[in-house]
Amino acid sequence: MRWLLILLGSLALAQAAVTPGWVRLVPPVVKDTAAYLTLENRGKTPLRLVGAETEVAERVSFHQNNREHRGGQVVLGMRPLPYLDIPPRSKVEFRPGKYHFMLEGLKRPLKAGEKVVLVLKFQDGSRLQVILPVEER
């Protein structure tokens, strides 16, 4: 059974691909930042992203920006997602104003040009390591 789970995890990784992204440089006093990339499902079955982690932050979550109308006003915000499904043969863009990873509780200030390792976790137990540069944009 264990070999079957390892094989299934390998299959999920074979169908997932990441287009290079970046981590937003924030002032040293700011303890949260965002990471962006494009996640592609090259397979024939859906992928479910259920989490992420990095050594530079206490936790990583992913969010979707949203816009609501309240009392005649437009309210912009973001809401955390418990998971994100990537349909077969499609891409999901994590970019400013859309989906994004929140690196919460930075353990130290990040520096422009440094590389951050982000590990994406999928429902089947597979993990995908992504290396993202810190950039001021």
Side-chain angles (χ1 to χ4, degrees):
M1 182 67 169
R2 183 174 178 194
W3 288 106
L4 178 60
L5 292 175
I6 292 170
L7 176 62
L8 290 174
S10 298
L11 291 173
L13 284 180
Q15 71 185 44
V18 173
T19 301
W22 56 288
V23 173
R24 184 180 301 278
L25 179 66
V26 293
V29 295
V30 176
K31 297 298 181 194
D32 301 333
T33 190
Y36 308 100
L37 53 84
T38 300
L39 185 56
E40 181 180 0
N41 180 355
R42 295 179 176 171
K44 296 178 182 177
T45 59
L47 280 176
R48 177 168 281 186
L49 180 67
V50 295
E53 61 188 23
T54 181
E55 290 185 2
V56 301
E58 292 175 13
R59 69 195 151 280
V60 178
S61 57
F62 37 95
H63 294 79
Q64 180 178 24
N65 284 14
N66 65 331
R67 172 184 287 213
E68 296 179 19
H69 294 276
R70 292 186 196 159
Q73 300 289 322
V74 175
V75 178
L76 301 177
M78 60 181 176
R79 62 182 172 98
L81 302 171
Y83 60 86
L84 183 62
D85 288 326
I86 302 101
R89 305 206 190 290
S90 67
K91 297 178 184 180
V92 174
E93 290 184 60
F94 289 80
R95 62 180 170 83
K98 195 164 169 84
Y99 295 109
H100 56 280
F101 291 94
M102 288 297 301
L103 282 61
E104 302 170 86
L106 291 173
K107 296 177 181 176
R108 60 174 176 75
L110 301 179
K111 297 176 185 167
E114 85 172 272
K115 306 291 187 210
V116 171
V117 176
L118 183 66
V119 178
L120 307 180
K121 299 188 280 186
F122 297 91
Q123 184 177 28
D124 65 2
S126 62
R127 298 155 87 69
L128 180 61
Q129 180 176 300
V130 181
I131 300 173
L132 304 171
V134 176
E135 298 180 1
E136 185 175 7
R137 292 193 190 186

